[in-house]
């Protein structure tokens, strides 16, 4: 095998909690495992061209991409076509091989989320599993993250289409193994606020009031009929390729309130608006578009719950903003926004 470019900007190969990552990034070792695990995609005509780490959370997770060229190529995302180049995306987990998520993706594709679905709503295809690497692989799909498109002039129209995609997940007859209740949501917020208090001890009383207001809001919600939800539904989880939407990262799929997905999505738009434009309401028409379409599909009683989950998402974003240098300047403004929304 010729010398291949291997990009590891995070130094993942030296992660002591995942010592097998060195083999994951070794072209010879990786190709041998990939050929055995992904026989539908990799044959004698396929050549490994590059390896790169795109995400790494030390001691927990890693995402690795393998670029291939092939004389024949795997099945294209467009029926009847073949690709000369393709990429397999491998997800590694320190605590063990994640079998649940690839099985869920395969079930979703059988339930109408295949690559050429008539409604233009799809999930990526699973390529295989490598237990020795604690890795499963999927075909990397084309598209632009919805987070990059919602701010464009047709962003409201895209937001309505995204509501359709969320609804398709909610009505799909797949029984999740796990439940997520409002009590779980509030427990996460308590954990997150304690982390912020350690960073900003002077905000202790403010954060406590925000948490108390969040608990009042959460406990006031009428319990809905639960269904399968994405639970990590936000703009970067959707790749838009023309009229097709690819839904990504179903790791947290569970049974819960469908309004949580919409509230989580609109909360992320608000936070993005604050960072991009200095105005939390800059993309409010996009938020209204996805909320209104969701209400059309599910009934007016879902609107208040979606707005409540938007507020709880913004409270969670307070802590998330402390993890990224570019977001840290907006942490206090997020606190102020949550105080206003909780009427504190």
């Amino acid at each position: 095998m010729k010398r291949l470019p291997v990009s590891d900007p995070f130094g993942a190969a030296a992660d002591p909690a995942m010592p097998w990552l060195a083999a994951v990034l070794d072209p010879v070792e990786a190709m041998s495992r990939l050929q055995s695990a992904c026989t539908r995609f990799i044959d004698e005509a396929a050549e490994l061209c590059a390896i790169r780490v795109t995400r790494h959370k030390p001691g927990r997770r890693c995402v690795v991409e393998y670029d291939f060229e092939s004389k024949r190529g795997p099945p294209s995302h467009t029926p009847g076509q073949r690709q000369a180049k393709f990429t397999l995306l491998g997800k590694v987990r320190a605590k063990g091989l994640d079998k649940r998520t690839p099985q869920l993706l395969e079930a979703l594709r059988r339930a109408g989320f295949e690559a050429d679905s008539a409604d233009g709503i799809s999930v990526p295809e699973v390529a295989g599993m490598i237990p020795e690497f604690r890795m499963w692989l999927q075909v990397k799909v084309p598209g632009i993250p919805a987070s990059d498109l919602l701010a464009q002039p047709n962003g409201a129209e895209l937001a309505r289409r995204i509501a359709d995609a969320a609804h398709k997940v909610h009505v799909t007859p797949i029984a999740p193994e796990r439940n997520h209740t409002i009590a779980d949501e509030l427990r996460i917020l308590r954990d997150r606020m304690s982390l912020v208090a350690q960073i900003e001890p002077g905000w202790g009383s403010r954060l406590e009031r925000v948490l108390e207001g969040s608990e009042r809001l959460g406990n006031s919600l009428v319990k809905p009929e639960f269904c399968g939800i994405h639970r990590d539904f936000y703009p970067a989880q959707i790749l838009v390729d023309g009229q097709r939407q690819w839904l990504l990262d179903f790791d947290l799929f569970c049974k819960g309130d469908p309004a949580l997905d919409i509230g989580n999505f609109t909360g992320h738009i608000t936070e993005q608006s604050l960072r991009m434009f200095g105005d939390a309401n800059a993309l409010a028409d996009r938020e209204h578009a996805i909320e209104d379409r969701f209400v059309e599909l599910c009934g007016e009683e879902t609107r208040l719950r979606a707005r409540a989950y938007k507020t709880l998402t913004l409270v969670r974003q307070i802590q998330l903003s402390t993890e990224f240098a570019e977001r840290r300047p907006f942490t206090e403004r997020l606190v102020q926004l949550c105080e206003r929304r909780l009427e504190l």
Side-chain angles (χ1 to χ4, degrees):
M1 181 181 293
K2 66 181 181 181
R3 185 175 180 81
L4 302 182
V6 177
S7 174
D8 181 15
F10 308 99
D15 188 335
M18 294 186 281
W20 61 91
L21 284 178
V24 168
L25 299 177
D26 177 80
V28 175
E29 182 71 17
M31 186 60 175
S32 173
R33 303 287 187 182
L34 289 165
Q35 284 177 320
S36 300
C38 308
T39 54
R40 183 166 179 265
F41 299 90
I42 302 172
D43 57 17
E44 68 280 358
E47 181 181 3
L48 181 61
C49 301
I51 303 173
R52 61 185 168 275
V53 178
T54 57
R55 279 187 286 171
H56 176 230
K57 194 154 191 175
R60 296 183 64 184
R61 295 186 297 273
C62 188
V63 177
V64 182
E65 295 186 359
Y66 299 97
D67 290 340
F68 285 89
E69 290 187 4
S70 176
K71 297 176 183 178
R72 292 191 291 271
S76 170
H77 301 297
T78 303
Q81 295 183 9
R82 308 289 286 187
Q83 293 175 240
K85 297 182 179 181
F86 62 96
T87 298
L88 298 185
L89 187 152
K91 294 190 174 186
V92 181
R93 195 172 67 171
K95 67 179 182 180
L97 175 64
D98 177 9
K99 297 180 180 179
R100 190 187 69 88
T101 303
Q103 290 170 352
L104 171 62
L105 288 184
E106 291 174 337
L108 286 168
R109 287 175 68 88
R110 291 192 298 269
F113 287 82
E114 65 275 18
D116 57 348
S117 61
D119 59 11
I121 302 167
S122 306
V123 298
E125 183 173 4
V126 175
M129 299 185 189
I130 305 178
E132 298 87 349
F133 287 172
R134 301 186 190 181
M135 170 194 282
W136 69 274
L137 301 108
Q138 66 184 42
V139 180
K140 186 177 181 179
V141 295
I144 301 170
S147 51
D148 295 347
L149 298 175
L150 284 166
Q152 296 186 7
N154 63 344
E157 185 274 332
L158 173 60
R160 287 181 62 85
R161 289 171 50 203
I162 290 171
D164 291 334
H167 183 64
K168 182 176 179 179
V169 173
H170 300 157
V171 300
T172 299
I174 295 176
E177 300 173 357
R178 303 173 295 188
N179 287 348
H180 184 80
T181 66
I182 189 63
D184 296 319
E185 194 74 5
L186 295 174
R187 174 183 50 76
I188 292 170
L189 292 187
R190 284 193 292 272
D191 293 342
R192 296 293 178 90
M193 290 303 96
S194 67
L195 294 174
V196 180
Q198 293 173 26
I199 298 171
E200 295 285 354
W203 293 358
S205 59
R206 293 179 71 186
L207 297 173
E208 186 62 32
R209 288 195 297 272
V210 167
L211 184 56
E212 290 173 355
S214 300
E215 291 177 338
R216 283 195 300 272
L217 176 61
N219 291 327
S220 72
L221 298 179
V222 176
K223 184 177 179 180
E225 183 176 346
F226 278 12
C227 63
I229 64 173
H230 187 284
R231 223 209 99 195
D232 197 21
F233 198 66
Y234 62 94
Q237 300 284 45
I238 301 171
L239 293 179
V240 181
D241 183 27
Q243 291 302 304
R244 185 159 301 279
Q245 298 179 70
W246 294 96
L247 309 187
L248 308 179
D249 292 347
F250 278 80
D251 308 56
L252 300 183
F253 181 76
C254 62
K255 185 181 289 185
D257 185 346
L260 185 152
D261 280 345
I262 303 304
N264 191 65
F265 197 94
T266 56
H268 276 80
I269 294 178
T270 298
E271 189 275 338
Q272 180 182 347
S273 300
L274 185 62
R275 280 188 291 111
M276 288 182 64
F277 306 107
D279 179 3
N281 296 314
L283 299 175
D285 60 330
R286 277 68 167 169
E287 297 180 35
H288 295 155
I290 187 172
E291 180 186 289
D292 288 344
R293 177 56 179 160
F294 181 67
V295 168
E296 288 176 21
L297 294 166
C298 301
E300 184 63 38
E301 70 276 5
T302 61
R303 191 184 299 274
L304 286 179
R305 299 204 313 276
R307 291 180 178 178
Y309 279 113
K310 171 184 172 179
T311 299
L312 299 180
T313 295
L314 288 167
V315 173
R316 191 171 67 251
Q317 289 282 349
I318 294 172
Q319 188 274 324
L320 287 174
S321 71
T322 66
E323 296 184 0
F324 304 95
E326 68 275 15
R327 298 189 186 186
R328 189 65 182 84
F330 300 94
T331 301
E332 186 166 15
R333 293 188 65 180
L334 279 170
V335 175
Q336 295 169 350
L337 176 61
C338 292
E339 289 171 333
R340 290 196 299 271
R341 291 187 64 86
L342 291 166
E343 299 181 347
L344 302 178

